[in-house]
Amino acid sequence: MIGAERTDTKVEVILGVDTHLDFHVAVAIDHLGRRLGESSVPTTTKGYERLLCWAEGFGPVRCAGIEGTSSYGAGLARHLKAKGIDVLEVERPKRRQRGSRRNVKKSDTSDAELAARAVLADEASGVPKSAEGCVEMIRALRAARRSAMKARTQAANQLQGLRVTAPEQLRHRLRGLSTKELAAVAARFRLGDDPRDVPAATKFALRSVARR
């Protein structure tokens, strides 16, 4: 009939996920914005499979809006993309200070639903990084290098501070050394594991920091 409303329209599922370290909370809505249900799964491969099976129980999954695709949500994002599901990065909402733990679960569910509705309204921020291939390899290595360089700088500053406050005899011995020379000398200090006076404790600290 002309003008008759179709009743056989297939439901398309949109997932919204609020991510955490040990578990994720998801809410499913359909392409019309109707809420279909909620689920909580552990952050494991089996948990991701369970979440996908649950969502597909409502119909084919069109897209998933995930918070923190470069942190807590990285594993789930990779899993869904490997299954051929489009994933969008959703900005994590600013959360109010909560007075009690009992409100956290409710808030997680609300945030997951907001993520799904952001996708439906085309308000998601975009496609997340692939987190694979050479680019991801370089990112991981650069992160390790930045951390090492920062730790090295902190250790060098600590060495200088310990030298300044060291007892006079030890300070005189280390005076005039560059940071590299100071680290080399301090790393070779020989002493027991139970320092009993200030000079011994200072040398112990210098050796520990220099080796770090």
Side-chain angles (χ1 to χ4, degrees):
M1 293 176 58
I2 296 176
E5 185 176 340
R6 293 187 61 182
T7 59
D8 60 344
T9 302
K10 183 178 291 186
V11 171
E12 290 185 326
V13 180
I14 298 172
L15 270 179
V17 186
D18 181 45
T19 59
H20 299 270
L21 176 62
D22 299 315
F23 69 95
H24 296 331
V25 177
V27 167
I29 63 175
D30 68 10
H31 59 291
L32 299 177
R34 295 173 296 194
R35 194 177 192 277
L36 302 174
E38 66 180 75
S39 180
S40 178
V41 297
T43 54
T44 62
T45 300
K46 289 184 177 180
Y48 303 152
E49 286 286 356
R50 196 171 85 196
L51 176 61
L52 185 55
C53 288
W54 167 80
E56 290 177 335
F58 299 111
V61 179
R62 187 173 87 185
C63 188
I66 302 177
E67 296 178 0
T69 58
S70 60
S71 55
Y72 292 153
L76 177 60
R78 282 194 297 264
H79 184 87
L80 293 179
K81 285 193 289 185
K83 299 294 183 179
I85 295 173
D86 290 335
V87 175
L88 292 176
E89 170 74 25
V90 177
E91 184 177 353
R92 188 178 294 273
K94 294 181 180 179
R95 303 187 179 189
R96 296 184 297 273
Q97 294 292 330
R98 304 187 180 97
S100 63
R101 179 66 188 174
R102 64 187 177 186
N103 294 324
V104 172
K105 187 175 186 298
K106 181 178 179 181
S107 178
D108 292 341
T109 303
S110 299
D111 289 345
E113 184 170 347
L114 286 173
R117 297 194 182 281
V119 172
L120 185 62
D122 289 329
E123 295 176 350
S125 60
V127 179
K129 296 177 182 178
S130 63
E132 58 188 16
C134 292
V135 173
E136 180 63 12
M137 291 166 59
I138 293 171
R139 187 203 64 79
L141 293 171
R142 282 177 61 84
R145 185 177 186 276
R146 283 196 302 268
S147 176
M149 294 297 291
K150 183 177 179 180
R152 182 186 182 190
T153 300
Q154 290 175 334
N157 292 337
Q158 288 176 330
L159 275 178
Q160 296 291 354
L162 285 167
R163 174 167 61 177
V164 169
T165 59
E168 178 58 34
Q169 185 176 357
L170 179 58
R171 188 169 69 250
H172 178 75
R173 177 183 174 185
L174 302 176
R175 183 175 290 140
L177 298 179
S178 67
T179 300
K180 184 176 181 179
E181 293 169 338
L182 175 60
V185 170
R188 294 195 299 268
F189 281 158
R190 295 184 179 275
L191 59 153
D193 294 329
D194 185 20
R196 297 182 179 276
D197 54 30
V198 174
T202 304
K203 290 177 70 175
F204 189 93
L206 282 163
R207 184 181 69 176
S208 175
V209 175
R211 291 180 176 180
R212 187 197 316 160

